[in-house]
Structures are given as C-alpha cells and as structure tokens.
Amino acid sequence: MEFKMKERGYETTFEYGTLDISGDAEFGFRPFQLLVSSVAVCSGGVLRKVLERMRLSYENIDVKAKVTRDEKEANKITDIHLHFIIIGNNLSEEKVKKALAVTRKNCSMVQSVIESINITESFEIQAQ
C-alpha cells in the first residue's frame, strides 16, 4: 500500500477506487472510522460465511458498532461493541451464538486488535 500526502490528509488507490483519509471528516474518512469499519465488516463477512457453512439461512445481516474512546490517552479506541441484526427464519439463538464464537476466532481484524481493544458482540434475530 502507498499513501500520498494531500493538503488535508492522505490518499491511496486500490482496485475498487480511491480512498481519502484525513483527521478532518470534511476531507476524508477519519482513521478511527476506518479501523472500526474494518472490525465490523470483517466480522459481518465472516459471520455470513459461518452461517452458510452451518447451513443456516438468513436474509440479511446488519452490524451496528458502538465505540468507546479514551480522551485522556490520545482519544484511543478502548472498546468496540458489535451488535448484529440477523434477519431470517428458523434461526436458533444457540446456533447463532456458536456462529459468533467461530466468527470471533476467524475474523482477522478482530484478532489483530484483540490485545488492545475490548471487542464484545451481541445479536438479535428478526423474522423475515
């Protein structure tokens, strides 16, 4: 990866397109937003694969992330709580709990930050 300095941040280009990054949300995505997004979307993507491997059908999975930051320590992220809203029929809470445990172990982004950020999960199942 290569990041090029701009007047108000940095820019990088990937296969999908250009990503603008800045400490000022007016000029790009803020670094903490990208970190939280990486954890949330990685978890959601892995959960999708785990549910499919378990042959559990679902219609949709949304992820809400609640972030806690410590202003006294450079405003670092201390906690990320991920709440999964899983829409589908015939999903048991017990099987979804197992799927989330597997997800946590196999999400590379969670595993990358687990020593420094407290990651917690919850979920709700909604019928289609």
Side-chain angles (χ1 to χ4, degrees):
M1 287 189 208
E2 186 176 340
F3 300 87
K4 298 189 183 242
M5 190 171 84
K6 295 174 34 176
E7 184 177 339
R8 304 263 177 142
Y10 283 83
E11 174 182 280
T12 188
T13 302
F14 299 104
E15 295 86 355
Y16 185 74
T18 300
L19 179 64
D20 292 305
I21 307 163
S22 175
D24 184 338
E26 194 173 326
F27 299 101
F29 294 100
R30 295 183 62 204
F32 95 90
Q33 293 170 324
L34 295 171
L35 190 150
V36 173
S37 296
S38 294
V39 170
V41 173
C42 178
S43 293
V46 173
L47 179 59
R48 288 172 71 165
K49 290 178 185 175
V50 171
L51 290 174
E52 288 167 7
R53 285 188 186 136
M54 293 175 73
R55 293 189 168 96
L56 298 173
S57 64
Y58 62 90
E59 180 67 28
N60 191 50
I61 302 170
D62 288 333
V63 185
K64 292 183 181 181
K66 182 179 177 187
V67 181
T68 304
R69 299 178 75 182
D70 187 346
E71 293 177 16
K72 295 175 186 170
E73 291 191 46
N75 215 15
K76 77 175 186 176
I77 297 170
T78 59
D79 299 88
I80 300 173
H81 179 75
L82 302 174
H83 182 71
F84 298 89
I85 301 165
I86 306 165
I87 299 172
N89 293 321
N90 303 318
L91 292 169
S92 78
E93 287 197 21
E94 184 177 314
K95 288 183 180 180
V96 172
K97 281 182 187 177
K98 287 180 183 177
L100 274 176
V102 172
T103 296
R104 181 181 185 87
K105 290 178 185 174
N106 289 284
C107 172
S108 62
M109 295 297 99
V110 169
Q111 291 303 312
S112 295
V113 301
I114 205 158
E115 297 292 322
S116 59
I117 299 174
N118 182 41
I119 309 287
T120 55
E121 299 98 356
S122 61
F123 69 91
E124 63 185 271
I125 299 170
Q126 296 179 357
Q128 289 177 296

